[in-house]
Amino acid sequence: MKKKLVVLTGAGISAESGIPTFRGEDGLWEGHDVTEVASPQGWAKDRALVLDFYNQRRKAIFESQANEAHKILADLEDHFNVEIITQNIDDLHERGGSSNVLHLHGEIKKARSTADETLIYELDNWELKEGDQCEKGSQLRPHIVWFGEMVPLIEPAAQIASEADIFLVVGTSLKVYPAAGLIHQVGPHVPIYVVDPSTPDYYGNNQITAIAKGAVEGMRELYKELVNKKA
């Protein structure tokens, strides 16, 4: 029976496909205050701005490709029962070949009704416009978890993390909550590997092996280690 490898990924893995990270140290995202473009208040204030902002992000994602790190995670399915929990709103894990992906913060290639959040639609192009409506006649919005909104999949994600035989973090500095708290759901004797150039304070935890490299370089190294240990 394959061991369960649970992977938490963040913006750093998509950055190597040319997708900009969420925001800089100044709290801006592509020159915008995040509350203008990623909050219910921003949506209520200027719907056109929010739609255009996500249209530009979506266009970039449609034009991007999965990178080697995404593909290595998919290759690990040959050796482990891999479940990915991602903070990323792109579909690069799926395009890289991964089978089991939970999107904590939503999916940019989907839209949902503003009247009924259970009505979710796949988008076949990058543009979501004012006047695009659900079957109930309500404006569609990006299927994204915005600041100030609940993260509906955090409980399933915590359950997955608690079942890990091995826990891997790739491309996130573990500063965004509640996602960062998933590392605390991992069992006390489960090995944790963190692939990210940054080094959070609790790397002193002897449960954690830090690989202070980018996603592609770090995953090349870790793939060999994981597969060799299994053998």
Side-chain angles (χ1 to χ4, degrees):
M1 187 173 176
K2 292 179 180 178
K3 286 187 174 181
K4 185 165 187 172
L5 173 62
V6 177
V7 188
L8 173 64
T9 67
I13 192 169
S14 293
E16 298 201 40
S17 290
I19 304 299
T21 52
F22 179 68
R23 55 179 168 163
E25 294 298 321
D26 54 6
L28 297 179
W29 191 7
E30 302 281 305
H32 296 283
D33 184 313
V34 293
T35 58
E36 294 177 352
V37 292
S39 72
Q41 294 81 8
W43 175 253
K45 179 182 176 183
D46 193 341
R47 192 164 71 186
L49 173 66
V50 175
L51 287 171
D52 179 66
F53 178 82
Y54 282 100
N55 283 342
Q56 298 310 312
R57 309 286 78 69
R58 196 178 295 110
K59 186 173 187 289
I61 287 167
F62 266 96
E63 293 170 351
S64 66
Q65 300 293 328
N67 63 54
E68 187 180 346
H70 294 110
K71 293 172 184 176
I72 290 171
L73 289 176
D75 290 343
L76 282 167
E77 293 185 12
D78 292 338
H79 306 278
F80 300 95
N81 173 12
V82 181
E83 292 203 44
I84 294 174
I85 303 164
T86 187
Q87 299 172 73
N88 300 334
I89 58 176
D90 59 63
D91 64 341
L92 296 179
H93 280 301
E94 289 88 345
R95 283 195 267 161
S98 288
S99 304
N100 301 305
V101 186
L102 182 152
H103 287 267
L104 271 181
H105 297 155
E107 299 176 70
I108 198 168
K109 285 189 173 181
K110 295 181 179 179
R112 76 169 181 262
S113 168
T114 49
D116 182 348
E117 63 183 19
T118 67
L119 295 177
I120 300 167
Y121 304 87
E122 295 274 355
L123 296 172
D124 57 9
N125 66 77
W126 60 267
E127 195 169 22
L128 181 62
K129 303 184 291 293
E130 288 200 75
D132 288 345
Q133 297 180 340
C134 73
E135 60 208 59
K136 294 185 176 181
S138 180
Q139 173 67 41
L140 293 174
R141 58 162 274 181
H143 182 47
I144 304 294
V145 177
W146 286 331
F147 287 99
E149 295 184 325
M150 299 294 289
V151 181
L153 295 179
I154 193 64
E155 288 188 10
Q159 181 62 36
I160 292 168
S162 73
E163 296 167 354
D165 296 309
I166 305 167
F167 193 78
L168 170 58
V169 178
V170 185
T172 173
S173 57
L174 296 170
K175 293 178 181 176
V176 177
Y177 282 83
L182 292 172
I183 200 167
H184 303 301
Q185 302 298 319
V186 179
H189 304 295
V190 172
I192 299 172
Y193 297 88
V194 179
V195 177
D196 193 77
S198 66
T199 53
D201 295 340
Y202 51 77
Y203 274 10
N205 181 334
N206 60 13
Q207 199 175 342
I208 296 175
T209 299
I211 300 174
K213 296 180 178 179
V216 170
E217 187 181 0
M219 284 308 304
R220 285 176 185 157
E221 179 180 317
L222 185 55
Y223 179 87
K224 294 175 185 176
E225 181 173 344
L226 290 173
V227 172
N228 286 339
K229 276 190 176 180
K230 173 180 168 287

